[in-house]
Amino acid sequence: MDRRTNRKLIFLLLLPALAGCSIGDVRRPPPDRASASARPVASTPAPRPVADVDEVRHVVVAVTERYDPPHVEFVDAERAYALFATCDGRPPGRECPALLFASRDGGRSWRALPHPRPVAENQQLYAPNGLLVLGAEPFGWYASTDGGVTFTHHPGVAPPPGLTGPDGHFQVTDEGGGRVARWDGRRLTPLPAQPGLPRVQDVAEAGDLLVAAGADDAGRPYAAVSADQGRSWQRTAVPAPDGEVGVLRPVRAPDGEPWLVGERPDRTGFPALWRWRGQWEPVRADGHPERIGSAVPAGAGRVAVTGPDGAGVVVDGRYERVSWPIGPEHHLSLLRDGTLLARGPDEIVLNVGPVGNRRWVRVLLTRE
């Protein structure tokens, strides 16, 4: 059995239901280029043999080498946007305007989109809730609901509520220690009924439940669930974790199962974990590393982890290292369709496909 086959076998045994939604938090400034080329872009062979992934999607786009690497946001396994937002490490100018691209085939090809404000400071790219959102200081924000065909301008320094929040119909506002609000595509409206927690830090839809969660100043976790889209709430006990929790996040696993991830106050310690089984049950992770970079529920009762120790999974009460084509520098997140996304310094690796037959795909977007 060769090395690649062995890696795939280990992956399938450890994570048969691994699936991966929301958005990375790294935002890069934009580039300037007065005349963005609209010519089609085509896939080219990978620049080097890659044995640790199943597929490499390497595309060269019509962008000069002056541009710095782009910031890329995936909405799901197929839809993505890329923003080239700086040249030679400097803010954009008229000779180097921001360039925007979109993919509808998982990064196999990219097409140029018109940027509504290509010359501006601190260009930003977000893709929450099926929207395309661009920031361009000092002009404000531009949001598109049709994939970049048209944009609505939103003036102001801060983005309007709902435009840059997490995926989903529900978000948490800053009012009164955190209030759960519904996003209808145009505005964010607080729910008449609130969870009744000391502090609400995050909310998520998971299966048939809406879950709100938070931790107080002493590091104690709290959670409430709603089975009727927030019209009423039930406070649920969260067993005390080992150590303090700084932020408590409810997360929907790819198979719909609700989880709680308790980030430590320093954001680098191994998190506290709970799984919903009609009540919150603590999840052990014997043998886990002390420090991590990211952790996300991956389906079938498993949690995928990256950190200084490499990649691993929490399964059956233990932490196990795995041989995946990602390392300490990759940050994991879940896309809205359950795809697992690993963001590295200069690449994105997707874990895609049906349960039991998932594949690793490296996506590279480079300049001419």
Side-chain angles (χ1 to χ4, degrees), residues 123-135:
Q123 299 266 5
Q124 299 180 56
L125 167 66
Y126 297 84
N129 299 305
L131 301 175
L132 167 59
V133 180
L134 303 172

Side-chain angles (χ1 to χ4, degrees), residues 81 100 102 104 111 113-114 116 132 143-152:
Y81 299 100
L100 182 64
R104 293 294 179 270
R111 61 186 178 88
L113 294 177
L132 167 59
S144 175
T145 60
D146 52 18
V149 177
T150 60
F151 286 88
T152 301

Side-chain angles (χ1 to χ4, degrees), residues 201 215-221 238-249 260-274 282-285 288-295:
Q201 294 172 319
D216 63 18
D217 293 335
R220 289 185 295 261
V238 181
D242 179 13
E244 293 184 18
V245 168
V247 175
L248 187 63
R249 297 186 296 110
L260 295 175
V261 177
E263 297 178 355
R264 303 303 182 178
D266 66 358
R267 298 295 183 95
T268 65
F270 198 89
L273 301 168
W274 296 265
V283 175
R284 297 197 337 271
H288 68 73
E290 290 300 314
R291 301 294 174 189
I292 69 159
S294 59

Side-chain angles (χ1 to χ4, degrees), residues 48-131:
R48 57 184 173 81
V50 178
D52 57 358
V53 293
D54 299 285
E55 179 185 356
V56 176
R57 298 171 186 170
H58 179 221
V59 179
V60 179
V61 296
V63 174
T64 68
E65 290 187 358
R66 285 193 59 199
Y67 282 92
D68 297 325
H71 177 68
V72 179
E73 287 290 347
F74 269 80
V75 178
D76 52 37
E78 298 298 320
R79 294 181 294 160
Y81 299 100
L83 178 67
F84 290 85
T86 56
C87 283
D88 304 322
R90 297 194 301 268
R94 294 192 178 279
E95 314 81 30
C96 181
L99 300 180
L100 182 64
F101 291 85
S103 176
R104 293 294 179 270
D105 55 11
R108 295 179 180 87
S109 64
W110 297 81
R111 61 186 178 88
L113 294 177
H115 194 296
R117 184 66 70 168
V119 179
E121 299 292 328
N122 192 23
Q123 299 266 5
Q124 299 180 56
L125 167 66
Y126 297 84
N129 299 305
L131 301 175

